[in-house]
Structure formats: structure tokens, C-alpha cells
Amino acid sequence: MMPTAFEGWDGTPAAARAMQAELASQVRLRDGFRKPLRTVAGFDVGFEDAGRTTRAAAVLLDADSLQVLESRCVRIPTSLPYIPGLLSFRELPALLQVLDALSQTPDLALLDGQGIAHPRGLGVAAHFGLATGVPSIGVAKKILTGSGPEPHDTRGAYTALRHDGRQVGWLLRSKLHCRPLVVSPGHHVAMASAADLVMRWVTTYRLPEPTRLADRLASRRDDR
């Protein structure tokens, strides 16, 4: 893991945007995860106390059975207000702490947020993957940047999401008659692999189980 995910950052939004552009060049869109996968983890972030406290959740699952192996939550003071496009600078400190709280590092991480489907190519899943070395995928509920054709209303169908002529992710129909998910690789995951990997862990819900369970913890709907 990097000594800090924000080394050299002076705390200003302008410097954060410049750092995003620099770090985006380090993202690797090639499969670098263990095969076969043994574990997968979902990560999500919520806020308490009118945004003054950041609550990060991680749920570790068996990659084949989806048995929950471990769940963790951490709460830390929120260090940055919400600034569009700089979500990782707000959420990553808590995400790194909750990763450290797990007893084992997952083979693959799914994060509620964007991977490279971001104006500067560095959403929270990509930043997390670079900071930790954990192969990562962003699974978002709506598009942040780019556009693409609506996938067919067939479970598992997906179409390319493009930004400035470059593919940055997939629109994945994870559940019939529901809006597609935005799936984008974060780090050490190939574009060609991302949508099928996410779909592997979709059951009867719109979200894949790792991020669905993490969302329950982060949003306080499941306080185990």
C-alpha cells in the first residue's frame, strides 16, 4: 500500500484535479487478480452527523458461494466537503482504514462508485486500486461521464460507455426493468472482464452482492 493516497497534495481542489490526471496514467487495465478468485469484497461509504462523520463499510465474501466471511465498518471525521469529481479525496481515507480492518486482503474489490468512467479517468475505484494494489472495479448507479446506448432488456446484457471517443466502462442490465449499472474497471482489471465479473455476483437484486451488502452497512440499514 502507498504510504499515503494523497502524497504531495496541498489540499486544494486544483491540485487534486492535477493529481487525478497524473495518477490516471498509472492505471493498468489488464487482469491482475488471482485466478481462480477465492474472495471478493464490496466497499461503500456513507455519512453521519450531517456529513461530519464518514462511515466506510467492507464485506468480504467467498467468490464462489457468496458466503459472507467478514464484515467491517469504520467511522472517521470527514476531511473534505463534497466537491463534484473529487469523491475519492473525500471517501478514500475511510476506505483505506476499513480495508485494513479486514483480516485478509480480498482478491478483488467492488466499490460503489466509478472506476475510470470519470472526467479525469480516476474515480474512487481506480484511486483505491492504485493506493492499495487491490484489483478493483467501480459499480455505480448512474453515469458520471460518457454516454452509450441503452442495453437490451435482457438480464446480463451490456453496452459500451464512451467518453471523448474512448471506452470507459459498460452499461450493464443486471436486473430486468431496472436502470443499468455503470461498470468500469478501476485498476488491474481489463475492460473486457469487468461486466462479466460484476454479473457473476448478481443474484435477484440490481446490485451485485458485495456492494449491495456493503451499501446496507454504509447506509445503516444493517448495523451488524
Side-chain angles (χ1 to χ4, degrees):
M1 185 180 294
M2 292 167 56
T4 171
F6 312 111
E7 189 170 5
W9 180 44
D10 65 6
T12 65
R17 295 183 185 101
M19 179 178 286
Q20 284 178 325
E22 179 182 352
L23 290 175
S25 68
Q26 300 175 29
V27 168
R28 296 294 174 260
L29 300 184
R30 296 189 298 271
D31 288 342
F33 49 85
R34 174 191 296 271
K35 296 181 182 180
L37 286 165
R38 298 176 305 176
T39 60
V40 58
F43 294 84
D44 198 2
V45 172
F47 295 91
E48 304 173 5
D49 308 322
R52 292 187 295 272
T53 300
T54 303
R55 172 187 173 105
V59 180
L60 183 74
L61 299 94
D62 181 280
D64 292 322
S65 69
L66 290 180
Q67 176 188 353
V68 175
L69 305 175
E70 195 174 356
S71 298
R72 292 288 182 267
C73 265
V74 301
R75 295 173 176 85
I76 66 171
T78 301
S79 58
L80 190 73
Y82 172 72
I83 301 173
L86 299 182
L87 188 67
S88 68
F89 288 78
R90 177 173 165 88
E91 296 188 350
L92 201 55
L95 288 168
L96 296 179
Q97 286 200 24
V98 80
L99 174 65
D100 285 342
L102 292 174
S103 63
Q104 59 178 301
T105 301
D107 292 337
L108 180 70
L110 305 187
L111 285 88
D112 185 342
Q114 308 291 344
I116 65 166
H118 178 277
R120 288 169 294 280
L122 196 86
V124 64
H127 203 163
F128 176 92
L130 282 171
T132 64
V134 177
S136 57
I137 301 174
V139 182
K141 302 177 185 73
K142 60 183 181 180
I143 295 172
L144 176 63
T145 192
S147 61
E150 189 82 1
H152 192 273
D153 199 20
T154 301
R155 186 178 183 274
Y158 50 85
T159 55
L161 178 71
R162 298 184 182 278
H163 174 64
D164 287 342
R166 175 194 179 207
Q167 185 174 358
V168 294
W170 301 99
L171 299 177
L172 171 64
R173 185 79 69 192
S174 57
K175 185 176 181 179
L176 296 182
H177 315 306
C178 289
R179 291 175 57 191
L181 296 174
V182 180
V183 175
S184 57
H187 186 50
H188 285 314
V189 176
M191 183 67 70
S193 303
D196 289 332
L197 281 168
V198 170
M199 199 63 205
R200 172 178 170 180
W201 297 299
V202 173
T203 58
T204 59
Y205 300 92
R206 181 183 176 221
L207 294 176
E209 286 300 284
T211 55
R212 186 184 75 84
L213 295 174
D215 174 78
R216 288 179 61 89
L217 284 176
S219 61
R220 307 191 69 173
R221 291 195 302 275
D222 187 346
D223 244 327
R224 290 174 296 174

